Amino acid sequence: MTVRRDFKGPASCRSDLVIGQEEPSAAAREQLARGGSVLLHGPAGIGKSTVLRALAAEYAPSARTVLRCSATESESHLPFLALADLFGLVLDEVSGKLPAAQHTALESALTGRGESTLQRDGLALRLAVLSTLRALAAKGPVLIVADDLQWLDSASAELLGFAARRLGETPVQMLCAVRTEEEEYDRHLRACPPDTLSVRLGPLTRTQVSALLGHRGYAGLPRSTVRDIHRTSGGNPLFALELGRALAESPTPPRPGEPLPVPTSLRALVLSRLEMLSDEARRTLLVASAGARPTPALLHAAGRGNAEAECAQAAELGLLATEPEGPAVRFAHPLISAALYAEAPAQERRAAHAALATAAPDAIERARHLALATTGTDPEVAARLAEAAALARDRGAPSVAASLGLLAARHTPAGSGPGPDDRRLQAAEDAITAGEVDLARDIAREVLTRATVPAERVRAWMVVIESAGQALGDVDAVFPQALADAGDDPRLLALVHYQLAWRGLVVEGDFAEARQEAAHAAELAARGRDRRTELMALAFQSSTETLMGHPKAAATIKRALREPQDPYVACHHNGVGSARYRWLLMSDRLVEARATMTGLLREVRRRGMVESEVHFLRLLAETELRSGHCGRALDLARESLRLARDTGIGESASATLASLAEASGGSTDRALALAREAVGHAEEDGDQMYLSRALTALGHAQLVAGDDRAAVTALRRVRELELGLGITDPARGRWHGDLAEALVRIGERAEAQHVIDVAREHALRLGRESVLAVLDRSEAQVRAARGDQDAAVAQLTSAQDRLAKLGNGLEEARAAFALARLRTLAPALGSARAGAAAVPGPTSYDEAARLFRRCRALPWLRRVEDAATARPAQPEVVPAALDGLAAMERQVAALVMEGATNREIAARLFVSVKTVEATLTRVYRKLGIRSRVDIVRLAAGRRAK
């Protein structure tokens, strides 16, 4: 975001790219487009100048005259300076339009050659500014761009305010920015027109801070460091950039538990008021800055006897924020605390931590302070830190456990048991659980540079592989080294073969190989009495067998559910509970699936298992989507995607599900964008399994958007991928119905029927009732395209009823929509056997609209509304000459009589234009006519009788 002049980065890094302020920028843009004025406000460094420049660059070309000023604090006492910046270059252009007295007063104020003042020439100056703006506006629109309005000299502010209040419909707009901290911004509106929109710019999220740092060249920072930057900067982009720069330039990054280094530029910015504090008050604030949740009681316990009075003094200086409803001591900005700590000598910081090591009420906090107060190795301190890490792990705070584990390793003497590297690896595993994969990988790589014990080396290799996520192809070279280090130890070999199972699935795209490796890993783990790895391998084996439609899937799940169980595996996203959930979902047991996933999500949140939380949010969203709760699914999918982007975990999978949720309950444009993003991630990672899922989402979004040919292209790729992967269960991706329906609409009825027949064979074998109902819905549309209206309506009615009983609300609504379209067309087109009377039921779209509305399926509801308004008018009489035609030929001929084009006919009958043309050729031959004009004449001749 905005960087002040004294904080600007290298020219190659500067950009007017607006990151994190898209929503307020959009509001400002709408106001400017309406001809209004905008006042941007917020604290220093929040990005006001960047947004101001971006908006000015966008709207300046539409203005004939752009007037600019940017005030500074050092010049704010000089009268008329801002006015000179605004009007100095245009005075000659308008001087002839001003009365003499106004011209003289304005020229004197701008040039300083006279003694013009507001007291002496007030009215003349006010009128001169107003007249100048009107004269400029008479030649075309005027845009006034004013930055740092808080430093505007009072005379210029008064004159601008006078003119702004009297411009009325004159085409003059103001785009201003003002720094506001705690004070109100309203007083600055006095210099702006009455209808000015005030837009507040707020702090950035962690994801936005990460994007900003990456854009400015600090992309290599670990996510845990980005998290600390976000917390310390309070989301302020200027502060975040300066912290990022200091870290990038620092030869030694901060150790775990230590605050970030604060550059001198920011220290000066936030600590100038510290000089007014007494030495004792400053020491009290240092103790508060070292504490996690400082309170007056804690400060007293840490030996600060006058804490209340010293905190009150700091609050008066704006260093502390008042907390009327609680006892906490809170700094006015996190950066004040960080800078205060960074300024203190190392000895004073250790003394503050030593005091808190006995005063802090929490065992974890006491251990952390003890570590930061101690130098060198100390086995007693290391043991206390390891105990605190275990406690944090049990409390569901793996990130804290990782930090404490690294502190424990630092204080562990070499040669002790457990050793320093053993504690480092435990910290790395905690970091993986917390979603801090960069930190975990760095720890493991460091251990591998010196470890010689096979168990430690294999454990470190496992962390490296885990931290690669879906990009397992990037760590291919690791597997041979891990196998060599494992030797013939079944426990170690089980760990490696479990990861090889994932490689077989993700990199090779081979379910059979993945299943075989998982089964081998489970056998090795059982031999080595490693129950956790055995359960993880069995869960993986059962999941692959479920997706393959393997006959042993149910038996493997039962094996995985036998006692003894491991609590970690039971709730892990690749564990037994997740495997059982997937089996329930694919078996149409939606109520049980939802209850299972809700329980799993609750448990992983309690344990702080961030990666599992990302996946479980997505899976719960999938369950809600299947149940037809599109609004709830959309909320969960968006939450999963936000967390995935914050942590860098499971982005492809979360984007895929978010696309499906958007296509069903949100925006088709967002659905398409997310699906393409997911496809890009999967292709970049070489992940065949998730590529098929992402393409499924893309094809579905294209289908909902009405782009049938694009949907067919995407879903044909899915079919090829899943054939290569060995996936036979149609309940896995549920794309078959979408592909068949899109194929019908482009005229490929034979291929559509083939897709249905193949999928139906597997669905019957596996008992996938909801899949069978969807396939019937698709087959009904194939029959309708072939002219068998009665059979199509009967099949659709049955499919809708079955989907309703299974609780598949969205698919039920889609069946009702297809049924409404057929019933609407039937009375106009007639039936092959008995005419319009043969098709029972209503001819409106009300039922489909009701069901989609119940699901909150907004994109589908819009499609229903479009279909209802575009419904064809019924012809008055069908000529007897058409009685000898086949059903499809009668339908096409009847629509020609209405005046429909070939493209319109194709859209209404779900066929291709080519099919319509071929059908018309047969009609011409059977009726002995030459063109569609002759068909219209037949209808006209019948009506004339």
Side-chain angles (χ1 to χ4, degrees):
M1 299 305 297
T2 302
V3 180
R4 287 184 0 178
R5 281 194 287 272
D6 52 332
F7 291 118
K8 286 185 179 177
S12 61
C13 292
R14 291 200 299 271
S15 171
D16 284 339
L17 178 69
V18 176
I19 294 176
Q21 302 292 4
E22 292 81 4
E23 189 173 334
S25 296
R29 191 174 289 111
E30 290 176 8
Q31 172 75 353
L32 291 169
R34 290 192 294 266
S37 297
V38 171
L39 175 68
L40 305 170
H41 64 96
I46 205 67
K48 302 179 298 297
S49 296
T50 296
V51 176
L52 184 87
R53 285 196 299 268
L55 292 171
E58 185 174 345
Y59 286 92
S62 61
R64 179 188 177 274
T65 305
V66 180
L67 307 175
R68 300 176 186 269
C69 73
S70 183
T72 63
E73 183 177 11
S74 62
E75 299 167 343
S76 60
H77 66 286
L78 300 174
F80 307 123
L81 188 61
L83 207 64
D85 287 343
L86 290 171
F87 293 154
L89 297 179
V90 297
L91 182 60
D92 292 342
E93 181 183 344
V94 299
S95 59
K97 306 290 180 61
L98 303 180
Q102 294 180 24
H103 178 269
T104 300
L106 184 59
E107 184 179 38
S108 177
L110 298 185
T111 62
R113 289 195 291 266
E115 298 181 359
S116 183
T117 65
L118 274 180
Q119 288 74 23
R120 193 181 70 181
D121 303 315
L123 182 59
L125 277 172
R126 288 173 172 82
L127 293 174
V129 173
L130 180 59
S131 298
T132 298
L133 291 173
R134 283 175 173 166
L136 291 170
K139 299 179 180 180
V142 176
L143 177 64
I144 299 174
V145 182
D147 200 2
D148 284 319
L149 211 61
Q150 73 277 3
W151 305 130
L152 208 66
D153 64 273
S154 58
S156 297
E158 167 63 25
L159 293 171
L160 276 177
F162 175 87
R165 290 189 295 272
R166 289 162 175 81
L167 285 170
E169 299 299 320
T170 306
V172 176
Q173 294 175 267
M174 292 184 70
L175 174 58
C176 308
V178 61
R179 180 192 303 178
T180 53
E181 300 292 343
E182 298 298 329
E183 72 271 15
E184 296 293 330
Y185 62 88
D186 296 22
R187 63 188 182 89
H188 299 291
L189 286 170
R190 292 198 294 268
C192 304
D195 65 343
T196 298
L197 174 69
S198 60
V199 176
R200 178 169 180 80
L201 304 186
L204 307 189
T205 65
R206 188 193 305 179
T207 303
Q208 292 163 347
V209 165
S210 178
L212 173 65
L213 291 167
H215 176 69
R216 293 302 179 89
Y218 309 130
L221 297 172
R223 286 190 176 86
S224 56
T225 302
V226 173
R227 178 198 62 200
D228 291 340
I229 290 175
H230 177 257
R231 184 182 63 246
T232 303
S233 68
N236 184 296
L238 167 63
F239 298 168
L241 283 172
E242 286 302 298
L243 291 167
R245 184 193 307 202
L247 282 165
E249 294 174 354
S250 174
T252 55
R255 291 175 173 178
E258 293 181 345
L260 298 177
V262 180
T264 304
S265 56
L266 291 185
R267 295 187 199 183
L269 187 66
V270 300
L271 296 181
S272 57
R273 286 167 285 189
L274 274 179
E275 298 173 359
M276 303 175 68
L277 281 175
S278 66
D279 289 343
E280 289 301 310
R282 186 164 181 159
R283 290 191 186 97
T284 295
L285 289 193
L286 175 61
V287 174
S289 72
R293 294 174 295 277
T295 63
L298 177 64
L299 295 176
H300 273 292
R304 308 310 303 168
N306 296 319
E308 286 88 349
E310 289 159 353
C311 287
Q313 181 188 0
E316 289 178 4
L317 293 172
L319 294 166
L320 294 180
T322 57
E323 293 283 355
E325 298 180 0
V329 175
R330 186 171 65 86
F331 285 88
H333 192 282
L335 190 62
I336 297 174
S337 173
L340 174 65
Y341 187 93
E343 277 284 292
Q347 185 176 353
E348 289 188 16
R349 287 188 299 214
R350 285 197 295 272
H353 286 297
L356 289 167
T358 57
D362 183 78
I364 292 176
E365 273 300 293
R366 289 196 298 272
R368 185 180 75 88
H369 288 301
L370 178 62
L372 295 174
T374 307
T375 58
T377 60
D378 186 321
E380 184 179 344
V381 171
R384 283 187 59 181
L385 284 164
E387 290 171 4
L391 181 59
R393 199 176 302 120
D394 290 341
R395 288 183 183 178
S399 180
V400 175
S403 177
L404 291 169
L406 288 175
L407 287 171
R410 192 205 307 174
H411 290 287
T412 301
S416 62
D421 283 343
D422 184 75
R423 283 177 168 152
R424 286 189 182 91
L425 288 171
Q426 179 61 65
E429 289 162 0
D430 286 330
I432 287 282
T433 301
E436 297 179 6
V437 292
D438 294 335
L439 175 62
R441 180 178 55 248
D442 291 345
I443 295 170
R445 291 287 188 189
E446 180 193 349
V447 169
L448 285 165
T449 60
R450 57 176 175 269
T452 57
V453 178
E456 287 185 351
R457 291 188 62 80
V458 171
R459 194 173 166 193
W461 287 128
M462 294 305 98
V463 171
V464 172
I465 293 170
E466 286 278 357
S467 64
Q470 299 300 120
L472 286 177
D474 295 347
V475 291
D476 255 352
V478 167
F479 290 99
Q481 299 177 70
L483 283 169
D485 285 331
D488 57 1
D489 187 326
R491 290 175 66 92
L492 301 181
L493 285 170
L495 292 171
V496 182
H497 281 281
Y498 173 70
Q499 295 295 346
L500 282 169
W502 277 103
R503 184 191 175 280
L505 182 60
V506 173
V507 179
E508 300 298 333
D510 189 333
F511 268 70
E513 178 187 340
R515 175 185 175 273
Q516 185 176 347
E517 286 285 3
H520 186 38
E523 178 188 343
L524 287 166
R527 213 188 318 155
R529 299 184 182 279
D530 181 357
R531 183 60 173 165
R532 173 172 291 189
T533 303
E534 181 187 7
L535 288 171
M536 291 292 288
L538 286 171
F540 183 87
Q541 180 185 343
S542 67
S543 294
T544 56
E545 288 173 349
T546 298
L547 296 174
M548 294 169 69
H550 196 282
K552 291 186 178 180
T556 306
I557 291 175
K558 288 181 180 178
R559 282 181 62 199
L561 289 170
R562 288 175 191 161
E563 297 294 338
Q565 285 293 312
D566 182 296
Y568 173 82
V569 177
C571 64
H572 191 275
H573 59 280
N574 290 323
V576 177
S578 183
R580 180 174 181 272
Y581 157 81
R582 177 60 62 187
W583 182 77
L584 288 169
L585 186 70
M586 294 175 70
S587 301
D588 297 310
R589 295 164 68 171
L590 296 181
V591 175
E592 291 176 77
R594 181 188 292 107
T596 299
M597 186 47 58
T598 301
L600 288 171
L601 181 59
R602 187 186 306 115
E603 180 63 14
V604 298
R605 281 175 166 167
R606 187 188 70 80
R607 290 172 169 267
M609 298 169 67
V610 177
E611 183 173 6
S612 294
E613 182 180 358
V614 170
H615 289 291
F616 288 164
L617 281 168
R618 171 176 57 83
L619 295 175
L620 186 56
E622 184 178 356
T623 310
E624 298 295 354
L625 201 58
R626 284 276 308 281
S627 302
H629 305 150
C630 297
R632 172 71 173 149
L634 190 58
D635 290 341
L636 288 165
R638 287 173 175 173
E639 185 180 354
S640 173
L641 185 58
R642 279 194 299 270
L643 188 57
R645 286 176 170 163
D646 280 350
T647 59
I649 294 171
E651 290 184 72
S652 178
S654 293
T656 295
L657 202 284
S659 171
L660 291 168
E662 290 285 357
S664 299
S667 159
T668 50
D669 288 341
R670 283 198 295 270
L672 290 165
L674 286 166
R676 291 182 179 117
E677 175 190 332
V679 169
H681 278 306
E683 288 180 330
E684 183 180 344
D685 293 341
D687 187 340
Q688 299 296 298
M689 183 173 66
Y690 272 117
L691 178 58
S692 73
R693 297 300 304 270
L695 286 167
T696 297
L698 179 59
H700 180 73
Q702 289 164 333
L703 180 81
V704 178
D707 192 348
D708 296 317
R709 290 195 177 277
V712 166
T713 300
L715 295 174
R716 279 173 173 164
R717 281 190 68 192
V718 176
R719 180 174 58 186
E720 293 169 7
L721 280 167
E722 293 204 352
L723 186 63
L725 288 166
I727 297 173
T728 61
D729 193 334
R732 186 254 183 178
R734 295 177 178 270
W735 48 267
H736 310 78
D738 283 351
L739 176 56
E741 291 173 25
L743 285 167
V744 169
R745 284 199 279 274
I746 67 170
E748 301 290 346
R749 298 193 301 272
E751 184 181 350
Q753 188 63 55
H754 177 70
V755 169
I756 293 166
D757 292 342
V758 171
R760 181 180 281 136
E761 180 183 351
H762 292 297
L764 284 168
R765 175 174 59 86
L766 297 167
R768 305 304 192 213
E769 292 300 326
S770 64
V771 173
L772 289 168
V774 168
L775 293 173
D776 280 354
R777 184 188 70 204
S778 304
E779 188 173 52
Q781 294 176 57
V782 175
R783 288 180 168 175
R786 288 173 173 162
D788 194 352
Q789 298 287 110
D790 295 343
V793 169
Q795 193 170 22
L796 272 174
T797 303
S798 171
Q800 181 182 344
D801 290 343
R802 286 151 55 206
L803 288 166
K805 291 175 183 176
L806 290 167
N808 284 225
L810 187 58
E811 300 293 359
E812 175 196 358
R814 287 182 62 179
F817 183 28
L819 188 57
R821 297 182 74 165
L822 287 184
R823 282 173 166 163
T824 300
L825 288 171
L829 303 178
S831 168
R833 288 181 287 112
V839 184
T843 60
S844 76
Y845 290 89
D846 293 346
E847 174 67 2
R850 182 186 69 80
L851 292 173
F852 281 130
R853 198 174 291 112
R854 184 184 68 182
C855 294
R856 287 184 58 192
L858 302 181
W860 285 105
L861 190 58
R862 285 190 286 272
R863 290 198 63 180
V864 172
E865 292 168 352
D866 291 344
T869 55
R871 192 165 53 208
Q874 299 178 16
E876 296 175 15
V877 181
V878 178
L882 303 188
D883 290 343
L885 300 178
M888 173 62 79
E889 294 164 355
R890 285 170 53 83
Q891 293 169 5
V892 171
L895 288 170
V896 167
M897 292 176 182
E898 297 177 30
T901 66
N902 287 0
R903 186 172 297 278
E904 290 169 343
I905 295 170
R908 294 181 188 181
L909 298 182
F910 314 110
V911 297
S912 67
V913 174
K914 186 176 180 180
T915 299
V916 174
E917 291 169 350
T919 303
L920 277 174
T921 299
R922 292 195 300 273
V923 169
Y924 300 156
R925 185 173 63 251
K926 288 183 178 181
L927 297 181
I929 57 180
R930 296 183 178 180
S931 70
R932 56 192 296 130
V933 175
D934 293 330
I935 296 178
V936 175
R937 285 174 179 162
L938 281 173
R942 178 62 177 264
R943 291 189 187 104
K945 293 183 181 179

